[in-house]
Amino acid sequence: MNRFLTLVVLLTSLLCDVKAQTTKPSTKKKVKLPPHTGYFDLNLQMGVPMQEYSTATQSLPFGFNFGYMHQPSRYVPLLIGGDFSYMSVGTNTIDRALTADITANGVLIDQLFIPLQFQINNNLITSHLKLRFLAPTKYVKPYIDGIGGFNYLWTGTQVFDRSQQQFFARNNNNDNGLITRNTQLQSFTYSAGAGTGLLFQLKPNFYLNVGVCYAFGGRANYYDNSQIQNWDIQLNTSGYNPNQTNGAFKDSDLYVDAIPKRSKTDMLLIQLGFSWNVVDGKYK
């Protein structure tokens, strides 16, 4: 019996020794992340007019937003960066037609039909510098933003020649048939405020972003969407000039007779989109 136990002990020791010799140490190294990190944001954005702005207009600006937030130290939950937003505040498309008579000695020989299209657009650009506190949690990251920047509002009109020949287009090789464009009104003012939001982790370094920000805006002159829907634009021209390389019409041919509105431009900015940790994403 003692010999059997001794044999078992010797075999066990031998197997452990062989296993220890054949087992290779792990060569996998832990990835060392840089001391800083950063997030790129891409969002849909809607602006809800507030206070005085909400009484002056019923429009809801809508568009996109993108930005970058840099965290100088991953051990300090403060980020600095900026963003840029474009939002449409109303459009109106008017189709009209011009006719040109071809005559000889007062006799009508032919008539040219030239379809024109007027596109009127209200636009809003906002851009801010941002300071963000981002909670150092894993799956859900709450944040608080402070913002400061500007609002730029403008109304512009474009006229297009929709005929196949594009008689009046500035460049006959240009497929869109643009005849002329002009800016009827533009206004620049400040924008500053604060907001909050949540980042929901969808997968490593990729988040769903839901945010809201109240932005106090300065006074601006602008045309409301309800105004441009009633515009009747007259195109004044003396006729087509084939020697004019810039098209038949000039930018000054567009004239708008309307009284712009003026108010503060406070808005509640609502964002929904995605956020990428673009620094840590390189070290998967």
Side-chain angles (χ1 to χ4, degrees), residues 15-25:
L15 289 173
C16 290
D17 185 59
V18 171
K19 184 177 180 181
Q21 293 181 9
T22 57
T23 302
K24 296 181 180 180

Side-chain angles (χ1 to χ4, degrees), residues 154-173:
W154 82 98
T155 298
T157 300
Q158 300 178 92
V159 184
F160 297 90
D161 182 347
R162 295 310 188 194
S163 66
Q164 292 183 352
Q165 297 83 0
Q166 296 187 351
F167 295 104
F168 300 127
R170 287 183 170 182
N171 182 356
N172 293 107
N173 296 322

Side-chain angles (χ1 to χ4, degrees), residues 34-46:
H36 63 90
T37 188
Y39 296 81
F40 176 78
D41 299 331
L42 182 62
N43 306 294
L44 295 175
Q45 178 169 281
M46 182 174 68

Side-chain angles (χ1 to χ4, degrees), residues 11 15 30 50 63 79 104 125 130 166 179 196 233 245 248 250 257 261 271 277-278 284:
L11 288 174
L15 289 173
K30 185 177 181 180
M50 305 296 289
L79 295 80
I125 284 177
K130 303 173 74 172
Q166 296 187 351
I179 299 174
T196 185
I233 299 179
T245 58
K250 301 177 182 178
D257 184 12
K261 296 185 177 183
Q271 297 179 350
N277 189 318
V278 292
K284 291 182 178 179

Side-chain angles (χ1 to χ4, degrees), residues 197-267:
L198 294 169
L199 297 180
F200 298 93
Q201 188 180 55
L202 301 178
K203 58 183 181 179
N205 307 312
F206 187 71
Y207 301 85
L208 174 68
N209 178 39
V210 180
V212 62
C213 181
Y214 193 100
F216 296 93
R219 291 191 177 277
N221 297 320
Y222 56 89
Y223 291 117
D224 184 50
N225 184 39
S226 61
Q227 291 178 288
I228 67 172
Q229 298 304 320
N230 297 319
W231 277 9
D232 184 15
I233 299 179
Q234 295 181 356
L235 191 62
N236 301 316
T237 179
S238 58
Y240 178 68
N241 181 0
N243 298 319
Q244 188 173 329
T245 58
N246 230 7
F249 306 118
K250 301 177 182 178
D251 293 346
S252 58
D253 288 331
L254 288 172
Y255 173 73
V256 175
D257 184 12
I259 300 176
K261 296 185 177 183
R262 179 174 175 80
S263 70
K264 290 185 176 180
T265 53
D266 297 357
M267 284 185 292

